[in-house]
């Protein structure tokens, strides 16, 4: 069995989609631009930049686009290279591009067992487009060839009248209820829930799915993290096209994977310097253990389900990886190292302020 060294969350620059969900984060910010990513580097170059040797061991990659991840065919070759390197790969998809899944079926079984699909179940859009059957056919297609999966729905107010319909079709097609995430409003400073209901009401409405994903997310939503976080070391956020590597969402660039490709990557933990109002994707980062002292379920627990036939959504190899905690496979920092992280953050902020002052002084005053 493999040991998990790092979690790499990868952004794919595709910002268009074959669906138009009202709760979509890209729609909220008016960022849909019909842009399909054109990778600047070959799949082989990407593999070399993200080799096990360079990253220190086996990593779990999450590939997610601004729109639909699988719209660009080249992503399949990238996935194949990462899997062949020995990594584990998760793909976020709306599950309706049947031709792409027909290509995944052709992957070697040894690679498929390290592949996971997060199928986003956009019920109302699939209903409108007549794509519900195609969605579940593709889910089962991946299950049959040995890949792992989860089915997850975004709990929007518009979906509330259809809750029982969603439960019924999931039990019919999957033999288990889908997981439930939290719809968030990225336009708000506090990254609030996207709902007219209070948070307590929201939890009561959607708690009936008995989703450990939803239950855990409700415990961390709106809670500012003040502990020492190892994001930036044990986990990283990567723009797979440009190579820009950051510590986490909204953090500064710490390296570029395509620069000095034969040299080790520069890494540095966030520490106590998280600038987010709350860890809204902590169902991945926190369950994998980026904050060692925080007690959480495993990532496998919030992704897996067992159907009425006793079958798991996660296959053994993927379940092993998702059950691990990064804190068990990496060295924690000494008191001195933590102090250095804090000092570097202070110097960085001071430098940023100095640059803003310099730019301001260079501007001509208004006449």
């Amino acid at each position: 069995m493999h040991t998990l060294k790092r979690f790499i969350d990868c952004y794919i620059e595709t910002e268009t989609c074959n669906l138009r969900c009202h709760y979509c984060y890209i729609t909220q910010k008016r960022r849909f631009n019909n842009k399909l990513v054109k990778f600047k580097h070959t799949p082989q170059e990407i593999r070399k930049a993200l080799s096990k040797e360079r990253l220190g061991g086996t990593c779990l990659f999450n590939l997610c686009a601004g729109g639909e991840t699988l719209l660009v065919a080249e992503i399949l070759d990238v996935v194949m290279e990462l899997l062949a390197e020995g990594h584990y790969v998760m793909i976020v998809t709306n599950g309706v591009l049947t031709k792409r899944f027909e290509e995944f079926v052709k992957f070697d079984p040894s690679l498929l067992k390290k592949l996971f699909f997060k199928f986003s179940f956009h019920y109302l859009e699939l209903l409108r487009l007549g794509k519900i059957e195609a969605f579940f056919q593709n889910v089962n297609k991946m299950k049959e060839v040995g890949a792992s999966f989860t089915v997850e729905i975004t709990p929007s107010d518009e979906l509330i009248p259809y809750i029982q319909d969603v439960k019924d079709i999931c039990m019919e097609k999957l033999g288990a209820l889908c997981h439930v995430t939290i719809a968030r409003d990225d336009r708000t400073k506090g990254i609030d829930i996207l709902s007219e209901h209070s948070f307590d009401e929201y939890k009561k409405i959607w708690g009936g799915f008995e989703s450990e994903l939803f239950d855990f997310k409700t415990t961390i939503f709106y809670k500012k993290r003040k502990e020492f976080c190892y994001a930036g070391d044990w986990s990283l956020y990567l723009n797979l096209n440009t190579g820009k590597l950051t510590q986490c969402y909204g953090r500064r660039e710490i390296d570029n994977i395509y620069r000095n490709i034969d040299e080790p990557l520069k890494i540095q933990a966030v520490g106590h310097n998280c600038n987010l109002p709350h860890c809204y994707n902590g169902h991945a980062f926190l369950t994998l253990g980026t904050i060692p002292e925080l007690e959480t379920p495993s990532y496998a627990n919030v992704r897996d389900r067992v159907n009425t036939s006793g079958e798991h959504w996660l296959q053994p190899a993927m379940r092993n990886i998702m059950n691990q905690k990064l804190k068990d496979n990496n060295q924690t920092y000494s008191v001195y190292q933590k102090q250095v992280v804090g000092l570097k953050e202070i110097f960085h902020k001071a430098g940023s302020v100095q640059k803003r002052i310099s730019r301001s002084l260079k501007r001509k005053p208004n006449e």
Side-chain angles (χ1 to χ4, degrees):
M1 291 294 186
H2 293 118
T3 298
L4 177 64
K5 181 65 176 180
R6 287 191 167 91
F7 171 56
I8 318 290
D9 193 12
C10 300
Y11 179 71
I12 311 296
E13 288 187 327
T14 292
E15 291 183 348
T16 189
C17 191
N18 49 336
L19 304 182
R20 283 295 182 271
C21 304
H22 54 276
Y23 45 75
C24 178
Y25 315 128
I26 301 298
T27 300
Q28 289 172 20
K29 292 192 170 184
R30 302 179 184 275
R31 282 172 52 192
F32 271 131
N33 55 18
N34 295 319
K35 176 184 177 182
L36 291 174
V37 66
K38 181 67 176 177
F39 286 106
K40 300 176 182 178
H41 300 269
T42 67
Q44 292 73 29
E45 290 172 332
I46 294 173
R47 175 178 176 174
K48 183 177 180 181
L50 296 169
S51 68
K52 288 177 67 175
E53 180 181 4
R54 196 179 193 201
L55 291 172
T58 301
C59 297
L60 176 63
F61 284 82
N62 182 61
L63 307 186
C64 183
E68 167 51 34
T69 309
L70 296 179
L71 277 176
V72 177
E74 287 79 4
I75 196 68
L76 275 78
D77 293 328
V78 174
V79 170
M80 183 177 288
E81 290 295 335
L82 290 174
L83 292 172
E85 178 64 21
H87 297 304
Y88 288 70
V89 178
M90 305 186 293
I91 301 172
V92 179
T93 176
N94 61 34
V96 297
L97 295 176
T98 300
K99 288 184 179 180
R100 296 286 186 266
F101 295 105
E102 290 172 347
E103 290 299 313
F104 280 119
V105 168
K106 301 174 186 177
F107 277 30
D108 189 276
S110 65
L111 301 183
L112 286 166
K113 70 180 183 181
K114 296 185 293 183
L115 185 58
F116 169 92
F117 292 93
K118 197 218 83 174
F119 286 101
S120 298
F121 185 24
H122 302 295
Y123 177 76
L124 293 179
E125 267 296 274
L126 297 180
L127 188 65
R128 180 180 71 85
L129 297 171
K131 295 285 187 179
I132 288 180
E133 285 298 320
F135 174 85
F136 284 107
Q137 286 172 5
N138 289 329
V139 172
N140 284 303
K141 190 175 294 176
M142 293 300 95
K143 173 188 171 185
E144 289 168 3
V145 296
S148 298
F149 71 94
T150 198
V151 177
E152 173 186 307
I153 204 162
T154 300
S156 66
D157 290 355
E158 292 80 1
L159 191 59
I160 292 174
Y162 302 89
I163 285 178
Q164 191 57 51
D165 293 339
V166 170
K167 288 182 175 180
D168 289 345
I169 197 167
C170 285
M171 291 306 299
E172 176 191 348
K173 301 293 186 181
L174 301 170
L177 295 177
C178 59
H179 274 302
V180 181
T181 184
I182 291 180
R184 67 178 193 266
D185 191 344
D186 283 356
R187 299 166 299 183
T188 59
K189 185 177 180 180
I191 313 180
D192 301 317
I193 60 168
L194 185 65
S195 176
E196 295 299 321
H197 295 276
S198 70
F199 194 38
D200 285 340
E201 291 170 340
Y202 190 76
K203 289 188 285 186
K204 288 179 181 178
I205 292 168
W206 296 102
F209 281 81
E210 298 179 352
S211 166
E212 191 158 356
L213 172 66
F214 181 73
D215 293 344
F216 176 67
K217 291 194 77 166
T218 59
T219 67
I220 61 172
F221 217 80
Y222 291 130
K223 289 188 178 179
K224 174 70 176 175
R225 302 315 326 177
K226 298 180 181 179
E227 305 93 336
F228 190 94
C229 180
Y230 284 87
D233 187 336
W234 301 353
S235 69
L236 296 159
Y237 185 54
L238 170 66
N239 183 315
L240 198 56
N241 188 36
T242 66
K244 181 180 178 181
L245 191 69
T246 60
Q247 295 168 305
C248 196
Y249 308 137
R251 301 292 298 180
R252 67 182 185 275
E253 182 174 358
I254 55 176
D255 207 342
N256 190 296
I257 66 168
Y258 303 122
R259 187 188 307 133
N260 302 320
I261 200 168
D262 293 316
E263 296 181 8
L265 290 169
K266 299 172 185 175
I267 54 176
Q268 180 188 311
V270 169
H272 296 291
N273 307 302
C274 180
N275 57 344
L276 294 174
H278 56 91
C279 190
Y280 55 82
N281 276 340
H283 65 279
F285 294 99
L286 299 182
T287 61
L288 286 169
T290 55
I291 297 179
E293 67 268 32
L294 192 66
E295 292 295 326
T296 72
S298 71
Y299 190 46
N301 286 348
V302 302
R303 285 304 187 198
D304 201 9
R305 286 279 205 188
V306 180
N307 67 18
T308 51
S309 298
E311 300 169 318
H312 284 266
W313 287 359
L314 297 183
Q315 297 303 313
M318 184 60 73
R319 189 160 63 249
N320 168 63
I321 284 293
M322 290 186 174
N323 263 325
Q324 295 181 43
K325 296 284 186 177
L326 293 165
K327 64 181 180 181
D328 295 329
N329 304 330
N330 290 280
Q331 288 291 325
T332 55
Y333 290 12
S334 65
V335 173
Y336 172 74
Q337 287 173 311
K338 290 181 177 180
Q339 290 173 339
V340 170
V341 168
L343 287 172
K344 284 183 177 180
E345 185 70 14
I346 291 172
F347 292 146
H348 172 74
K349 288 181 178 178
S352 297
V353 170
Q354 183 61 47
K355 287 179 182 178
R356 288 197 295 270
I357 292 173
S358 298
R359 286 196 297 268
S360 179
L361 292 173
K362 289 178 181 179
R363 295 193 192 104
K364 293 181 179 180
N366 294 327
E367 296 294 336

